[in-house]
Amino acid sequence: MTTPSQSTLPMHGLPLNVNGVMKISAAVLALSLILTFYGLLTQGHGAFNTHSYGITWGLPAAAYVYLVLTSTGLTFVASLAMLFRFNEFYPVVKRCIWLAIATLVAGFATLALEIGHPFRMLWALPSGLQYLSPMFWMGVFYTVYLLFLLWKFARIHAGDWTSLQSYAVGLASFVSVVVAHATLGMVFGMMAMRPVWYDGMLPIYFLVTAGLSGIAFAILFTYLAYGFNREKMPEALRGLLSGSAFSGVFAAMIGITLLMVILRTITGLWSNLDGLQVYSHIVRSPLFHAELWLGLVLPFVLMLSPTLRRKPSIQITSSVLVIVSMFIGRYEFMISGQMMPLFKGSWIQGVIEYTPSLTEWMLTLVGISLVFVLYTVGERLLKLAEHPDAK
């Protein structure tokens, strides 16, 4: 097994359409923050179309799950080189770690504004410690994960890619995110009153779909850094994207996710368990078919072709379709799990209706635009193209 040296490839000039992305995303972030705070300050949580007798977690909660699981997936991509020594993936490691930090911070910001009074945790946690709650441990493990991510990024930014300490920190970040991810799955998977969520395999489902989101983000943002022009990339990065390793992993993850989505849907339609009748509503939704056919089936077919999957246009298109599909999937999972009234599913006709409010849309936009702002800051200031030479 080869060991990367400490030298790095020279920085290639980034096309500063990155500047344009930074300006646009900063403007969107400012506007969405203003509208979010206006709604929260004038209406409080009444600005959300959620209520205690129906949909209690709305679009912002789905955005939080989407962002933190994408962070998990980005860490998995970085770990291919950091831990498992697939050295050809080193050119995307630093960018993936920074994107993992950006998506995790954006997810935390979305959740903090969604719950209304996040600073109450400063006294509520120690005074009313709920150590038996998976949600409490989810917060603990994701915080630990963020600290290890920042530590790992600091090590490689200082040029330490392969020391024992750097490896140990990378291992700690990987273990902590697996534990945090499993705990997030338990938050939903242990809710027996919500049959759509109640599933001991849910952490595995989250693990697989997180990996797919991470790969799609890695592809899209790598191309974005070079103006969607592969010829401007360093040779090692160009070789990774034009070769079979990255595209092959991407195709495999799409296929596994597609299979899991289909099997979960078939199980929901076949089962007569009270509460799963919501699957009949799901399969009639245009969003479900956009997620399935445009966001998973089409990219899978495109990425199956050894010739097509090496083309930049196909990789970019497939990554965008998958990213949108994964967001729809998180929203569908979050909302459909609450559409049947508790303990009344078989007694009533129809499902609880939900449409996100303007404030909910703006809060979701806060999280998405924050990812782009943090990413472009890192691209400009932190040399995210750096990587060690694999010899």
Side-chain angles (χ1 to χ4, degrees):
M1 184 177 296
T2 58
T3 301
S5 70
Q6 294 297 322
S7 61
T8 59
L9 290 176
M11 278 289 296
H12 288 238
L14 296 176
L16 292 184
N17 64 337
V18 170
N19 277 340
V21 173
M22 175 183 284
K23 292 175 182 177
I24 293 172
S25 56
V28 172
L29 176 61
L31 178 60
S32 56
L33 271 174
I34 290 171
L35 292 175
T36 297
F37 279 118
Y38 176 79
L40 294 177
L41 291 173
T42 57
Q43 302 176 63
H45 217 275
F48 296 170
N49 286 343
T50 56
H51 36 76
S52 59
Y53 57 86
I55 308 294
T56 55
W57 290 342
L59 177 62
Y64 160 73
V65 173
Y66 174 75
L67 290 168
V68 297
L69 286 180
T70 298
S71 176
T72 300
L74 287 160
T75 301
F76 290 164
V77 175
S79 296
L80 291 173
M82 288 193 310
L83 299 182
F84 304 111
R85 301 308 186 195
F86 293 100
N87 290 345
E88 62 268 34
F89 286 90
Y90 264 112
V92 297
V93 165
K94 192 173 184 181
R95 185 172 286 112
C96 282
I97 295 176
W98 182 251
L99 276 169
I101 294 170
T103 49
L104 188 60
V105 169
F108 283 169
T110 303
L111 183 64
L113 291 173
E114 195 276 339
I115 62 178
H117 295 280
F119 292 108
R120 286 182 179 173
M121 290 187 293
L122 297 177
W123 61 264
L125 285 179
S127 63
L129 191 63
Q130 299 296 315
Y131 64 90
L132 296 179
S133 167
M135 190 173 292
F136 165 77
W137 289 109
M138 178 192 72
V140 171
F141 291 136
Y142 268 114
T143 301
V144 171
Y145 163 55
L146 176 59
L147 295 176
F148 278 126
L149 269 185
L150 291 169
W151 190 359
K152 179 63 179 180
F153 186 85
R155 294 310 309 161
I156 64 175
H157 188 60
D160 177 12
W161 291 80
T162 58
S163 73
L164 182 60
Q165 183 189 69
S166 183
Y167 179 84
V169 175
L171 178 61
S173 65
F174 180 82
V175 171
S176 62
V177 76
V178 169
V179 175
H181 144 86
T183 311
L184 176 62
M186 289 170 60
V187 168
F188 294 97
M190 295 174 69
M191 292 191 181
M193 76 292 289
R194 299 289 189 185
V196 174
W197 295 344
Y198 187 52
D199 186 351
M201 293 297 291
L202 193 60
I204 305 301
Y205 174 74
F206 275 4
L207 176 70
V208 172
T209 54
L212 178 57
S213 294
I215 294 172
F217 262 66
I219 291 173
L220 178 63
F221 281 86
T222 298
Y223 274 104
L224 175 61
Y226 296 92
F228 299 101
N229 187 344
R230 189 189 285 171
E231 297 306 313
K232 295 180 180 180
M233 296 179 182
E235 182 180 353
L237 181 56
R238 189 165 61 248
L240 174 63
L241 290 173
S242 60
S244 60
F246 211 158
S247 58
V249 172
F250 189 32
M253 293 303 297
I254 297 174
I256 295 171
T257 300
L258 178 60
L259 180 62
M260 295 188 77
V261 169
I262 291 173
L263 291 177
R264 279 176 58 85
T265 304
I266 290 174
T267 301
L269 290 172
W270 175 85
S271 176
N272 60 2
L273 180 65
D274 184 23
L276 291 185
Q277 59 267 44
V278 75
Y279 274 97
S280 298
H281 173 80
I282 292 172
V283 297
R284 291 195 298 268
S285 167
L287 282 178
F288 172 78
H289 291 282
E291 173 198 359
L292 179 65
W293 301 106
L294 295 179
L296 291 175
V297 173
L298 179 58
F300 184 57
V301 171
L302 292 174
M303 297 302 292
L304 276 181
S305 168
T307 302
L308 287 178
R309 71 187 185 197
R310 300 187 183 196
K311 294 184 177 181
S313 58
I314 298 299
Q315 292 177 353
I316 294 166
T317 300
S318 297
S319 64
V320 170
L321 290 174
V322 166
I323 287 169
V324 174
S325 172
M326 289 294 96
F327 187 86
I328 293 173
R330 303 302 181 211
Y331 173 82
E332 181 184 82
F333 172 84
M334 181 68 68
I335 303 305
S336 65
Q338 305 170 82
M339 280 185 162
M340 300 307 299
L342 289 175
F343 315 116
K344 298 178 183 178
S346 61
W347 302 350
I348 66 170
Q349 297 296 319
V351 297
I352 298 174
E353 297 295 334
Y354 167 76
T355 302
S357 66
L358 175 62
T359 302
E360 290 177 275
W361 279 113
M362 290 301 102
L363 179 49
T364 301
L365 197 56
V366 167
I368 295 171
S369 57
L370 183 56
V371 171
F372 280 89
V373 169
L374 293 175
Y375 159 73
T376 52
V377 168
E379 202 68 69
R380 290 197 60 195
L381 303 179
L382 299 174
K383 300 180 181 179
L384 300 185
E386 286 183 329
H387 67 276
D389 296 323
K391 294 182 179 180

